[in-house]
Coordinates of all heavy atoms in Angstrom, one line a residue:
M80 N 0.9 -1.2 0.0 CA 0.0 0.0 0.0 C 0.9 1.3 0.0 O 1.7 1.4 0.9 CB -0.9 0.0 1.2 CG -1.9 -1.1 1.1 SD -3.1 -1.3 2.5 CE -3.8 0.2 2.8
P81 N 0.7 2.1 -1.0 CA 1.6 3.3 -1.1 C 1.2 4.3 0.0 O 0.1 4.5 0.4 CB 1.2 3.8 -2.5 CG 0.4 2.8 -3.1 CD -0.1 1.9 -2.1
D82 N 2.3 5.0 0.4 CA 2.2 6.1 1.3 C 2.0 7.4 0.5 O 2.6 7.6 -0.5 CB 3.4 6.3 2.1 CG 3.7 5.2 3.2 OD1 2.7 4.7 3.7 OD2 4.9 4.8 3.3
L83 N 1.0 8.2 0.9 CA 0.6 9.4 0.2 C 0.5 10.5 1.1 O 0.4 10.4 2.3 CB -0.8 9.2 -0.5 CG -1.0 8.0 -1.5 CD1 -2.4 8.0 -2.0 CD2 -0.1 8.3 -2.7
I84 N 0.6 11.8 0.6 CA 0.4 13.0 1.3 C -0.9 13.7 0.7 O -0.8 13.9 -0.6 CB 1.6 13.9 1.2 CG1 2.8 13.2 1.8 CG2 1.4 15.2 2.0 CD1 2.9 13.0 3.2
A85 N -1.8 14.1 1.5 CA -3.0 14.8 0.9 C -2.6 16.2 0.4 O -1.8 16.8 1.1 CB -4.1 14.9 2.0
T86 N -3.0 16.5 -0.7 CA -2.7 17.9 -1.3 C -3.9 18.8 -1.1 O -3.7 20.0 -1.1 CB -2.4 17.9 -2.7 OG1 -3.4 17.2 -3.5 CG2 -1.1 17.1 -3.0
R87 N -5.1 18.2 -0.8 CA -6.3 19.0 -0.5 C -7.1 18.3 0.5 O -6.8 17.1 0.9 CB -7.2 19.1 -1.8 CG -6.5 19.8 -2.9 CD -7.5 19.7 -4.1 NE -6.8 20.2 -5.3 CZ -7.3 20.1 -6.6 NH1 -8.5 19.6 -6.7 NH2 -6.6 20.4 -7.5
S88 N -8.1 19.0 1.1 CA -9.0 18.3 2.1 C -9.7 17.2 1.4 O -10.3 17.4 0.2 CB -9.9 19.3 2.7 OG -9.2 20.2 3.5
L89 N -9.9 16.0 2.0 CA -10.6 14.9 1.5 C -10.9 13.9 2.5 O -10.4 14.0 3.6 CB -9.9 14.2 0.3 CG -8.7 13.4 0.7 CD1 -8.8 12.0 0.0 CD2 -7.4 14.0 0.3
R90 N -11.9 13.0 2.2 CA -12.3 12.0 3.1 C -11.8 10.7 2.4 O -12.1 10.5 1.3 CB -13.8 11.9 3.3 CG -14.3 13.0 4.2 CD -15.7 12.9 4.6 NE -16.0 11.7 5.3 CZ -15.8 11.4 6.6 NH1 -15.3 12.4 7.4 NH2 -16.1 10.3 7.2
Y91 N -11.1 9.9 3.2 CA -10.7 8.6 2.6 C -10.7 7.6 3.8 O -10.1 7.8 4.8 CB -9.2 8.7 2.1 CG -8.7 7.4 1.5 CD1 -9.2 6.9 0.3 CD2 -7.9 6.5 2.2 CE1 -8.8 5.8 -0.2 CE2 -7.5 5.3 1.7 CZ -8.0 4.9 0.5 OH -7.6 3.7 -0.1
A92 N -11.3 6.4 3.5 CA -11.4 5.4 4.5 C -11.9 5.9 5.8 O -11.3 5.6 6.8 CB -10.1 4.7 4.6
T93 N -13.0 6.6 5.8 CA -13.7 7.2 7.0 C -12.8 8.2 7.8 O -13.2 8.6 8.8 CB -14.1 6.1 8.0 OG1 -13.0 5.5 8.7 CG2 -14.9 5.0 7.3
R94 N -11.7 8.6 7.2 CA -10.9 9.7 7.8 C -11.0 11.0 7.1 O -11.0 11.0 5.8 CB -9.4 9.3 7.8 CG -9.1 8.1 8.7 CD -7.6 7.7 8.6 NE -6.7 8.9 8.8 CZ -5.5 9.0 8.4 NH1 -5.0 8.0 7.8 NH2 -4.8 10.0 8.7
A95 N -11.1 12.1 7.8 CA -11.2 13.4 7.2 C -9.7 13.8 7.2 O -9.1 14.1 8.2 CB -12.0 14.4 8.1
L96 N -9.2 14.1 6.0 CA -7.8 14.5 5.9 C -7.7 15.9 5.4 O -8.6 16.4 4.6 CB -7.1 13.6 4.9 CG -7.1 12.1 5.2 CD1 -6.7 11.3 3.9 CD2 -6.1 11.8 6.3
T97 N -6.7 16.6 5.8 CA -6.5 18.0 5.3 C -5.2 18.0 4.6 O -4.4 17.0 4.6 CB -6.4 19.0 6.5 OG1 -5.3 18.6 7.4 CG2 -7.7 19.1 7.3
A98 N -4.9 19.1 3.9 CA -3.7 19.2 3.1 C -2.4 18.9 4.0 O -2.3 19.5 5.0 CB -3.6 20.5 2.4
G99 N -1.6 18.1 3.5 CA -0.3 17.8 4.3 C -0.4 16.6 5.2 O 0.6 16.1 5.7
D100 N -1.6 16.0 5.4 CA -1.8 14.8 6.2 C -1.3 13.5 5.4 O -1.6 13.3 4.3 CB -3.2 14.5 6.6 CG -3.7 15.5 7.6 OD1 -2.9 16.2 8.2 OD2 -5.0 15.6 7.8
P101 N -0.4 12.7 6.1 CA 0.0 11.4 5.5 C -1.0 10.4 5.7 O -1.8 10.3 6.7 CB 1.3 11.1 6.2 CG 1.1 11.7 7.6 CD 0.3 13.0 7.4
F102 N -1.1 9.5 4.7 CA -2.0 8.3 4.8 C -1.7 7.3 3.8 O -0.8 7.5 3.0 CB -3.5 8.7 4.6 CG -3.8 9.2 3.2 CD1 -4.5 8.4 2.3 CD2 -3.5 10.5 2.8 CE1 -4.8 8.8 1.0 CE2 -3.8 10.9 1.5 CZ -4.4 10.1 0.6
Q103 N -2.2 6.1 4.0 CA -2.0 5.0 3.1 C -3.2 4.7 2.3 O -4.4 4.8 2.8 CB -1.5 3.7 3.8 CG -0.1 3.8 4.4 CD 0.3 2.5 5.0 OE1 -0.4 1.7 5.4 NE2 1.7 2.3 5.0
A104 N -3.1 4.3 1.1 CA -4.2 3.9 0.2 C -3.9 2.7 -0.6 O -2.7 2.3 -0.7 CB -4.5 5.0 -0.8
S105 N -5.0 2.0 -1.1 CA -4.7 0.8 -1.9 C -4.0 1.3 -3.2 O -4.1 2.4 -3.6 CB -6.0 0.1 -2.2 OG -6.8 0.9 -3.0
N106 N -3.4 0.4 -3.9 CA -2.7 0.7 -5.1 C -3.7 1.4 -6.1 O -3.4 2.4 -6.7 CB -2.2 -0.5 -5.8 CG -1.0 -1.1 -5.0 OD1 -0.3 -0.3 -4.3 ND2 -0.7 -2.4 -5.2
K107 N -4.9 0.8 -6.3 CA -5.9 1.4 -7.2 C -6.3 2.8 -6.8 O -6.3 3.8 -7.6 CB -7.1 0.5 -7.3 CG -8.2 1.0 -8.2 CD -9.4 0.0 -8.1 CE -10.6 0.6 -8.9 NZ -11.7 -0.2 -8.8
D108 N -6.6 3.0 -5.5 CA -7.1 4.3 -5.0 C -5.9 5.3 -5.1 O -6.1 6.5 -5.4 CB -7.6 4.2 -3.5 CG -8.9 3.4 -3.4 OD1 -9.5 3.2 -4.5 OD2 -9.3 3.1 -2.3
A109 N -4.7 4.9 -4.8 CA -3.5 5.8 -4.9 C -3.4 6.3 -6.3 O -3.2 7.5 -6.4 CB -2.3 5.0 -4.5
R110 N -3.5 5.5 -7.3 CA -3.4 6.0 -8.7 C -4.5 7.0 -9.0 O -4.2 8.0 -9.6 CB -3.5 4.8 -9.6 CG -2.3 4.0 -9.8 CD -2.3 3.0 -11.0 NE -3.6 2.5 -11.3 CZ -4.0 1.3 -11.0 NH1 -3.1 0.5 -10.3 NH2 -5.2 0.8 -11.2
I111 N -5.7 6.7 -8.5 CA -6.8 7.6 -8.8 C -6.6 9.0 -8.1 O -6.7 10.0 -8.7 CB -8.2 7.0 -8.4 CG1 -8.4 5.8 -9.4 CG2 -9.3 8.0 -8.5 CD1 -9.6 5.0 -8.9
L112 N -6.2 8.9 -6.8 CA -6.1 10.1 -6.0 C -4.9 11.0 -6.6 O -5.0 12.3 -6.5 CB -5.8 9.8 -4.5 CG -7.1 9.2 -3.8 CD1 -6.6 8.7 -2.5 CD2 -8.1 10.3 -3.6
V113 N -3.9 10.4 -7.0 CA -2.7 11.1 -7.6 C -3.2 11.8 -8.9 O -2.9 12.9 -9.2 CB -1.5 10.3 -7.7 CG1 -0.4 10.9 -8.6 CG2 -0.9 9.9 -6.3
A114 N -3.9 11.0 -9.7 CA -4.4 11.5 -11.0 C -5.3 12.7 -10.9 O -5.2 13.6 -11.7 CB -5.1 10.4 -11.8
I115 N -6.2 12.7 -9.9 CA -7.1 13.8 -9.7 C -6.5 14.9 -8.8 O -7.2 15.8 -8.4 CB -8.5 13.4 -9.2 CG1 -8.4 12.7 -7.8 CG2 -9.1 12.5 -10.2 CD1 -9.7 12.4 -7.2
K116 N -5.2 14.7 -8.5 CA -4.5 15.8 -7.7 C -5.0 16.0 -6.3 O -4.9 17.1 -5.8 CB -4.4 17.1 -8.5 CG -3.6 16.9 -9.8 CD -3.4 18.2 -10.4 CE -2.6 18.2 -11.7 NZ -2.4 17.2 -12.5
K117 N -5.6 15.0 -5.7 CA -6.0 15.0 -4.3 C -4.9 14.6 -3.3 O -4.9 14.9 -2.2 CB -7.2 14.2 -4.0 CG -8.5 14.7 -4.7 CD -9.2 15.7 -3.8 CE -10.6 16.0 -4.4 NZ -11.3 16.8 -3.5
A118 N -3.9 13.9 -4.0 CA -2.8 13.4 -3.1 C -1.5 13.3 -4.0 O -1.6 13.4 -5.2 CB -3.1 12.0 -2.6
R119 N -0.4 13.2 -3.3 CA 0.9 13.0 -4.0 C 1.7 11.9 -3.3 O 1.4 11.7 -2.1 CB 1.7 14.3 -4.1 CG 2.2 14.7 -2.7 CD 3.1 16.0 -2.9 NE 3.4 16.6 -1.6 CZ 4.3 16.1 -0.7 NH1 5.0 15.1 -1.0 NH2 4.4 16.7 0.5
P120 N 2.5 11.2 -4.0 CA 3.3 10.2 -3.3 C 4.2 10.7 -2.3 O 4.8 11.9 -2.4 CB 4.1 9.5 -4.4 CG 3.5 9.9 -5.7 CD 2.8 11.2 -5.4
A121 N 4.3 10.1 -1.1 CA 5.2 10.6 -0.1 C 6.6 10.0 -0.3 O 6.7 8.9 -0.7 CB 4.7 10.1 1.3
S122 N 7.6 10.8 0.0 CA 8.9 10.3 -0.2 C 9.2 9.4 1.0 O 8.5 9.4 2.0 CB 9.9 11.5 -0.2 OG 10.0 12.1 1.0
V123 N 10.3 8.6 1.0 CA 10.6 7.7 2.0 C 10.8 8.4 3.3 O 10.4 8.0 4.4 CB 11.8 6.8 1.6 CG1 12.2 5.9 2.8 CG2 11.4 6.0 0.4
E124 N 11.5 9.5 3.2 CA 11.9 10.3 4.4 C 10.6 10.9 5.1 O 10.5 10.9 6.3 CB 12.8 11.5 4.1 CG 14.2 11.0 3.6 CD 14.2 10.7 2.1 OE1 13.4 11.3 1.3 OE2 15.0 9.9 1.7
E125 N 9.7 11.4 4.3 CA 8.4 12.0 4.8 C 7.6 10.9 5.5 O 7.1 11.1 6.6 CB 7.6 12.6 3.7 CG 8.1 13.9 3.2 CD 7.3 14.4 2.0 OE1 6.9 13.6 1.2 OE2 7.1 15.6 1.9
A126 N 7.6 9.7 4.9 CA 6.8 8.6 5.5 C 7.4 8.2 6.8 O 6.7 8.0 7.8 CB 6.7 7.4 4.5
A127 N 8.7 8.0 6.9 CA 9.4 7.6 8.1 C 9.2 8.7 9.2 O 9.0 8.4 10.4 CB 10.9 7.3 7.9
Q128 N 9.3 9.9 8.8 CA 9.2 11.1 9.8 C 7.9 11.1 10.4 O 7.6 11.3 11.6 CB 9.6 12.4 9.1 CG 9.6 13.5 10.0 CD 10.0 14.8 9.3 OE1 9.9 15.0 8.1 NE2 10.5 15.8 10.1
S129 N 6.8 11.1 9.5 CA 5.5 11.2 10.0 C 5.1 10.0 10.9 O 4.5 10.1 11.9 CB 4.5 11.3 8.8 OG 4.4 10.1 8.1
E130 N 5.6 8.8 10.6 CA 5.3 7.6 11.4 C 6.0 7.8 12.8 O 5.4 7.4 13.8 CB 5.9 6.4 10.7 CG 5.5 5.1 11.4 CD 5.9 3.8 10.6 OE1 5.6 3.9 9.4 OE2 6.4 2.9 11.2
A131 N 7.2 8.3 12.7 CA 8.0 8.5 14.0 C 7.4 9.5 14.9 O 7.2 9.3 16.1 CB 9.5 8.8 13.7
S132 N 6.9 10.5 14.3 CA 6.2 11.6 15.1 C 4.9 11.1 15.7 O 4.5 11.4 16.8 CB 6.0 12.9 14.4 OG 5.1 12.7 13.3
A133 N 4.2 10.3 14.9 CA 2.9 9.7 15.4 C 3.2 8.7 16.5 O 2.4 8.7 17.5 CB 2.1 9.1 14.2
D134 N 4.2 7.9 16.4 CA 4.5 7.0 17.5 C 4.9 7.7 18.8 O 4.5 7.3 19.9 CB 5.7 6.0 17.0 CG 5.2 5.0 16.0 OD1 4.0 4.9 15.8 OD2 6.1 4.5 15.4
A135 N 5.7 8.7 18.6 CA 6.1 9.6 19.8 C 4.9 10.2 20.5 O 4.8 10.2 21.7 CB 7.1 10.6 19.4
E136 N 4.0 10.7 19.7 CA 2.8 11.4 20.2 C 1.9 10.3 21.0 O 1.4 10.6 22.0 CB 2.0 11.9 19.0 CG 1.0 13.1 19.4 CD 0.4 13.6 18.1 OE1 1.1 14.2 17.4 OE2 -0.8 13.5 18.0
H137 N 1.8 9.2 20.4 CA 0.9 8.1 21.0 C 1.6 7.6 22.3 O 0.9 7.5 23.3 CB 0.9 6.9 20.0 CG -0.1 5.9 20.5 ND1 -1.4 6.0 20.4 CD2 0.2 4.6 21.0 CE1 -2.0 4.9 20.9 NE2 -1.0 4.0 21.3
Q138 N 2.9 7.5 22.3 CA 3.6 7.1 23.5 C 3.5 8.1 24.6 O 3.3 7.8 25.8 CB 5.1 6.8 23.2 CG 5.8 6.2 24.4 CD 5.2 4.9 24.9 OE1 4.8 4.0 24.1 NE2 5.1 4.7 26.2
A139 N 3.5 9.4 24.2 CA 3.3 10.5 25.2 C 2.0 10.4 25.9 O 1.8 10.5 27.1 CB 3.5 11.9 24.6
L140 N 1.0 10.1 25.1 CA -0.4 9.9 25.7 C -0.4 8.7 26.5 O -1.1 8.7 27.6 CB -1.4 9.8 24.5 CG -1.8 11.1 23.8 CD1 -2.7 10.7 22.6 CD2 -2.6 12.0 24.7
R141 N 0.2 7.6 26.2 CA 0.2 6.4 27.1 C 0.9 6.7 28.3 O 0.4 6.3 29.4 CB 0.9 5.3 26.3 CG 0.1 4.7 25.1 CD 0.8 3.6 24.5 NE 0.9 2.4 25.3 CZ -0.1 1.5 25.4 NH1 -1.2 1.7 24.7 NH2 0.1 0.5 26.1
D142 N 2.0 7.5 28.3 CA 2.7 7.8 29.5 C 1.9 8.7 30.4 O 1.9 8.5 31.7 CB 4.0 8.5 29.2 CG 5.1 7.6 28.5 OD1 4.9 6.4 28.6 OD2 6.0 8.1 27.9
E143 N 1.2 9.7 29.8 CA 0.3 10.6 30.6 C -0.8 9.8 31.3 O -1.0 10.0 32.5 CB -0.2 11.6 29.7 CG -1.1 12.7 30.5 CD -1.6 13.8 29.6 OE1 -1.2 13.9 28.4 OE2 -2.5 14.5 30.1
A144 N -1.4 8.8 30.6 CA -2.4 8.0 31.2 C -1.9 7.2 32.3 O -2.6 7.1 33.3 CB -3.1 7.2 30.1
T145 N -0.7 6.6 32.2 CA -0.2 5.8 33.2 C 0.1 6.6 34.4 O -0.1 6.1 35.6 CB 1.1 5.1 32.7 OG1 0.8 4.4 31.5 CG2 1.7 4.2 33.7
K146 N 0.6 7.9 34.3 CA 0.8 8.7 35.4 C -0.4 9.1 36.2 O -0.4 9.3 37.4 CB 1.5 10.0 35.0 CG 2.9 9.9 34.5 CD 3.5 11.2 34.1 CE 4.9 11.0 33.5 NZ 5.4 12.2 32.9
L147 N -1.6 9.1 35.5 CA -2.8 9.4 36.1 C -3.5 8.1 36.7 O -4.5 8.2 37.3 CB -3.8 10.0 35.1 CG -3.5 11.4 34.6 CD1 -4.4 11.7 33.5 CD2 -3.7 12.3 35.8
G148 N -2.8 7.0 36.7 CA -3.2 5.8 37.3 C -4.2 5.0 36.4 O -4.9 4.1 36.9
I149 N -4.2 5.2 35.1 CA -5.1 4.5 34.2 C -4.4 3.3 33.7 O -3.3 3.3 33.3 CB -5.5 5.4 33.0 CG1 -6.2 6.7 33.5 CG2 -6.4 4.6 32.0 CD1 -6.3 7.7 32.4
M150 N -5.1 2.1 33.8 CA -4.6 0.9 33.2 C -4.8 0.9 31.8 O -5.9 0.7 31.3 CB -5.3 -0.3 33.9 CG -5.0 -0.5 35.3 SD -3.3 -0.8 35.7 CE -3.0 -2.4 35.0
V151 N -3.8 1.2 31.0 CA -3.9 1.4 29.5 C -4.0 0.0 28.8 O -3.1 -0.8 29.1 CB -2.7 2.2 29.0 CG1 -2.8 2.4 27.5 CG2 -2.7 3.6 29.7
G152 N -4.9 -0.2 28.0 CA -5.1 -1.3 27.2 C -4.1 -1.3 26.0 O -3.7 -0.3 25.5
P153 N -3.6 -2.5 25.6 CA -2.6 -2.6 24.5 C -3.1 -2.1 23.2 O -2.3 -1.7 22.3 CB -2.2 -4.0 24.5 CG -3.3 -4.8 25.1 CD -3.9 -3.8 26.0
R154 N -4.4 -2.1 22.9 CA -4.9 -1.8 21.6 C -5.6 -0.4 21.6 O -6.3 -0.1 20.7 CB -5.9 -2.8 21.2 CG -5.3 -4.2 21.0 CD -6.2 -5.2 20.6 NE -7.0 -4.8 19.4 CZ -7.8 -5.6 18.8 NH1 -8.2 -6.7 19.3 NH2 -8.5 -5.1 17.7
W155 N -5.5 0.4 22.6 CA -6.1 1.7 22.7 C -5.4 2.7 21.7 O -4.2 2.8 21.6 CB -6.0 2.3 24.1 CG -6.8 1.7 25.1 CD1 -7.6 0.5 25.0 CD2 -7.1 2.1 26.4 NE1 -8.2 0.2 26.2 CE2 -7.9 1.2 27.1 CE3 -6.6 3.2 27.2 CZ2 -8.3 1.4 28.4 CZ3 -7.0 3.4 28.5 CH2 -7.9 2.5 29.0
G156 N -6.3 3.3 21.0 CA -5.8 4.3 20.1 C -5.8 5.7 20.8 O -6.1 5.9 21.9
E157 N -5.5 6.8 19.9 CA -5.3 8.1 20.5 C -6.6 8.6 21.0 O -6.7 9.3 22.1 CB -4.8 9.0 19.5 CG -3.3 8.8 19.2 CD -2.7 9.8 18.2 OE1 -3.2 10.9 18.2 OE2 -1.8 9.4 17.5
K158 N -7.8 8.4 20.4 CA -9.0 8.8 20.8 C -9.4 8.3 22.1 O -9.8 8.9 23.1 CB -10.1 8.5 19.8 CG -11.5 9.1 20.1 CD -12.5 8.7 19.1 CE -13.9 9.3 19.3 NZ -14.3 9.6 20.6
R159 N -9.3 7.0 22.3 CA -9.6 6.3 23.6 C -8.7 6.8 24.7 O -9.2 7.1 25.8 CB -9.4 4.8 23.5 CG -9.6 4.0 24.7 CD -11.1 3.8 25.1 NE -11.3 3.2 26.4 CZ -11.5 1.9 26.6 NH1 -11.5 1.1 25.5 NH2 -11.6 1.4 27.8
L160 N -7.4 7.0 24.4 CA -6.5 7.5 25.4 C -6.9 8.9 25.9 O -6.9 9.3 27.1 CB -5.1 7.5 24.9 CG -4.3 6.2 24.8 CD1 -3.1 6.3 24.0 CD2 -4.0 5.7 26.2
K161 N -7.2 9.8 24.9 CA -7.6 11.2 25.2 C -8.9 11.2 26.0 O -9.0 12.0 27.0 CB -7.8 12.0 23.9 CG -6.5 12.3 23.3 CD -6.7 13.0 22.0 CE -5.4 13.3 21.3 NZ -5.6 14.0 20.0
D162 N -9.9 10.3 25.7 CA -11.1 10.2 26.4 C -10.9 9.8 27.9 O -11.4 10.3 28.8 CB -12.1 9.3 25.8 CG -12.7 9.8 24.4 OD1 -12.5 11.0 24.2 OD2 -13.2 9.0 23.7
E163 N -10.0 8.8 28.1 CA -9.8 8.3 29.4 C -9.0 9.3 30.2 O -9.2 9.4 31.4 CB -9.0 6.9 29.3 CG -9.8 5.8 28.7 CD -10.9 5.4 29.6 OE1 -10.8 5.5 30.8 OE2 -11.9 4.9 29.0
I164 N -8.1 10.0 29.6 CA -7.3 11.0 30.3 C -8.3 12.2 30.7 O -8.2 12.7 31.9 CB -6.2 11.6 29.5 CG1 -5.1 10.5 29.3 CG2 -5.6 12.9 30.0 CD1 -4.0 10.8 28.3
A165 N -9.2 12.5 29.9 CA -10.2 13.6 30.2 C -11.0 13.2 31.4 O -11.3 13.9 32.3 CB -11.0 13.9 29.0
K166 N -11.5 11.9 31.4 CA -12.3 11.4 32.5 C -11.6 11.4 33.8 O -12.1 11.8 34.8 CB -12.7 10.0 32.2 CG -14.0 9.7 31.4 CD -14.4 8.3 31.5 CE -14.7 7.8 30.1 NZ -15.0 6.4 30.1
A167 N -10.3 11.0 33.8 CA -9.5 10.9 34.9 C -9.2 12.3 35.4 O -9.1 12.6 36.6 CB -8.2 10.2 34.7
S168 N -9.0 13.3 34.5 CA -8.7 14.7 34.9 C -9.9 15.3 35.6 O -9.8 16.1 36.5 CB -8.3 15.5 33.8 OG -7.1 15.0 33.2
R169 N -11.1 15.0 35.1 CA -12.4 15.5 35.7 C -12.6 15.0 37.1 O -13.2 15.6 37.9 CB -13.6 15.2 34.8 CG -13.6 16.2 33.7 CD -14.9 16.0 32.9 NE -14.5 15.2 31.7 CZ -15.2 14.1 31.2 NH1 -16.2 13.7 31.7 NH2 -14.7 13.6 30.1
A170 N -12.2 13.7 37.3 CA -12.6 13.1 38.6 C -11.7 13.6 39.8 O -10.8 14.3 39.7 CB -12.4 11.5 38.5

């Protein structure tokens, strides 16, 4: 699956993307999105950099939740972590 960078705002695979957001698409969808100029191929450096920053951001949320005494599940995404942190902060 090719790594792409959105060039305009679009919805893809239930995600709302804005210009500059990295994402992955199927080969067929990637060809179409590039052809209609909604996305461009990501360079290897851009893909690695965006993945590293996303991992660091996710780990920071996990660390914050752990400090608040939340038992973090191994499959929790960012939305769940943010919701649980907000609940713990209110309590």
Side-chain angles (χ1 to χ4, degrees):
M80 291 179 52
D82 291 322
L83 300 173
I84 304 289
T86 56
R87 301 178 189 172
S88 296
L89 72 130
R90 289 187 58 83
Y91 181 77
T93 71
R94 291 180 51 204
L96 301 166
T97 58
D100 287 346
F102 67 103
Q103 289 186 333
S105 67
N106 291 333
K107 179 182 174 184
D108 290 348
R110 281 196 321 262
I111 293 168
L112 290 169
V113 169
I115 63 174
K116 296 185 175 30
K117 291 276 189 171
R119 65 177 171 80
S122 67
V123 174
E124 295 84 25
E125 286 176 323
Q128 183 181 22
S129 67
E130 187 175 316
S132 66
D134 288 345
E136 200 174 297
H137 187 75
Q138 187 59 43
L140 285 172
R141 292 180 69 84
D142 292 343
E143 184 179 349
T145 303
K146 287 179 186 174
L147 291 171
I149 300 168
M150 295 296 294
V151 178
R154 295 179 56 180
W155 287 10
E157 289 184 32
K158 183 178 181 337
R159 174 80 185 265
L160 284 167
K161 288 177 183 177
D162 290 345
E163 294 294 331
I164 290 169
K166 273 190 227 176
S168 297
R169 280 186 257 137

